[in-house]
Amino acid sequence: ARLAQEYIEQDETFRKTLRREIRAKLNEHLSTAGRRTGSKLPKDTRAWLLSTLGNLVDKDSESIGLITKFATDIEAEKDEWVRYWALAGLFAGNGKEAKSLATTIVKAKDLGDSLPQQLAKAILAWAGEDKWMEAVEGALDKEDRACWAMLRALRHVYVDSDKVINKFCEYIEKQRFGDYLYDAICALAPIPKESTHAEQVAHVVESYLRNNRRPMHTAAREKALTILGTLGVKRVFLALTEELFDGNPAIVRAASRALENLLTAKAACERVVEEAEGCADEDVHRLGDALRWMKARKTVVEVLELKLASGSDKEQAIARTLLQEVGGLLAFDRLRSRFDASQRYM
């Protein structure tokens, strides 16, 4: 999926072709919507197509026009989720055009506190319009549908507001399983490491992770681990290391990549070796599983190879076990080289 995304981002011809194909499907749906037979794309499919089209939109006026029609014409699209994803996709692909569309949406009198209306307010707050920043902050005061819709919107749009971030932290601290908790964690994901709230957010998220290990929290915990990896608060490496022993592979993967992102692959691998020195054999194997999830596998193998060559007897034994668990051709070549070298000097 990652390689496909990189290909789409880099190949302009493919982007144009994909936009054309998506427009054709959506236009076919519009032309047959009132008939008993025809396209009649399911709402989930329409939402996905519009979101994808928005991500690929660039400055394509035809695509922008079609997205605008779906997002603003109630007769053409009655489902608020489809209109929501149309605007969210456009914001991801072209913030300037999304702001223009958001301005149109907030002026509509028949949308109320619907999902696209709240997303539009959030986009205008992101663009620096004080009136709409106040609207965003006000929507979070009371836990009602308007609040829920705004939380959904803020999963896509980061607004730099003390009140908003404090509210997110409050929802997480309550630790009540449900939409408010999950949406608040998702909405904190884009917070920059230079934010004055970085320490506060790291403390709240770390506390949440330690106190909620039940399977139903898996998706939220994955998001929380990603946040700890991007905030740049170095002290949380202990919490991330602790999660490497979790029995859920999804959590181990998220924790491993968060640790790599926080410390660099080299420092993260050295930290894992250090942790392994005090572990039972079974847990050393678990840490090898965690290292396998790191993106910079070459760096991981190089660090372990160095431990094999110059570490203490214990570090060498640990490095050998970890290399075996990391696996792959590169790790195998390093282990074989060490074995061949040892045989020559015996």
Side-chain angles (χ1 to χ4, degrees), residues 218-293:
T218 296
R221 292 180 70 218
E222 284 185 76
K223 293 284 186 182
L225 287 164
T226 300
I227 291 171
L228 291 185
T230 57
L231 279 177
V233 179
K234 300 296 184 183
R235 64 170 179 77
V236 303
F237 78 89
L238 290 172
L240 295 177
T241 304
E242 186 178 334
E243 298 297 332
L244 297 178
F245 296 97
D246 195 275
N248 186 331
I251 297 301
V252 174
R253 175 183 183 275
S256 179
R257 294 196 169 176
L259 190 65
E260 179 184 16
N261 197 27
L262 179 68
L263 301 181
T264 73
K266 180 177 182 295
C269 186
E270 289 172 346
R271 168 62 190 151
V272 168
V273 173
E274 180 184 334
E275 184 71 19
E277 290 185 35
C279 291
D281 290 345
E282 180 182 350
D283 288 333
V284 174
H285 286 282
R286 285 189 176 188
L287 290 174
D289 289 337
L291 287 177
R292 193 187 306 131
W293 287 115

Side-chain angles (χ1 to χ4, degrees), residues 37-55:
T37 59
S39 170
K40 293 185 180 178
L41 292 171
K43 66 179 182 180
D44 290 347
T45 304
R46 300 197 304 275
W48 183 85
L49 288 173
L50 285 161
S51 176
T52 303
L53 184 61
N55 275 269

Side-chain angles (χ1 to χ4, degrees), residues 21 78 123 134 152 171 189-190 213 219 223 235 249 259 276 285 301 315 318:
E21 294 294 328
K78 294 181 171 60
I123 290 171
E134 292 174 5
R152 290 288 310 192
Y171 288 136
R213 298 183 182 277
K223 293 284 186 182
R235 64 170 179 77
L259 190 65
H285 286 282
V301 171
E315 285 180 330
I318 289 171

Side-chain angles (χ1 to χ4, degrees), residues 20 40 68 70 75 99 108 113 145 148 201 205 216 303 314 324:
R20 183 175 65 249
K40 293 185 180 178
T68 299
F70 272 91
E75 293 303 316
K99 179 188 174 185
D113 290 323
R145 193 180 191 285
W148 168 80
V201 171
V205 171
M216 65 184 186
V303 170
K314 188 170 186 178
Q324 290 170 348

